[in-house]
Amino acid sequence: RRRCGGWHTPVPELLSATDPSTVWGTHLLDCAPLPRRERGREAGPAAWASRVVLMGDAAHPMTPFKGQGANMTLADAPLLARCVAGVLGASAPPGRRSDAPRLFAALSRFEREMMDRAQLKVEASRAAAITYHSPAALSPAAYGLSGVHPELVADLIGEIRRQQVSAACGAEIEARVLDAWRHVQLRVANRMAPVCAS
């Protein structure tokens, strides 16, 4: 309340209505990437022979500041299924379903693809955690829409809604928001263009 009480409405009201006993904090942790099974050995056994794989938060824990932890976990299961289907699945050649070297290679491929995809999100979440917990994060100027004049914020939000930009856009969200911003800028420029009398 002391640090954020001077912020815009409704922040002070929300802080006043919050019972301090309901607020808790915990350490936010992630970890270094898992050691990888040996690369480039798809046809043979991996660097270690184990049928155990980690996935989800066990393999790539991340802070919550990018909202990607659950998404990464949900993407791990179908990736694992695709990687081992040719070894364990019905499409595996008869008599080869327990081919350990091929299984280890499939697990190696899964871990490599999973970590290549997830590590970017882990690093982005870590950077966001550092930013959001720095002194700059307490400044009201740190929030809002960077580079958008306050009088145009409502126009931009309206355009984002009109174009149905949402979290469902996934990786395209930033490009879609920038496109909405270009539309707003074009409308503003058209409104300000001089009218020629004939």
Side-chain angles (χ1 to χ4, degrees), residues 103-164:
L103 176 60
F104 301 143
L107 296 177
S108 177
R109 187 171 52 254
F110 161 72
E111 288 175 342
R112 197 169 45 255
E113 291 180 26
M114 172 188 64
M115 293 308 292
D116 285 348
R117 183 194 72 243
Q119 192 58 34
L120 296 171
K121 303 297 184 185
V122 170
E123 291 167 6
S125 292
R126 182 182 303 135
I130 291 167
T131 299
Y132 298 159
H133 291 86
S134 71
L138 295 175
S139 166
Y143 296 91
L145 301 170
S146 177
V148 178
H149 191 280
E151 292 178 11
L152 297 178
V153 169
D155 291 339
L156 176 56
I157 292 172
E159 184 64 24
I160 288 170
R161 285 184 181 142
R162 190 186 70 70
Q163 291 190 23
Q164 297 180 336

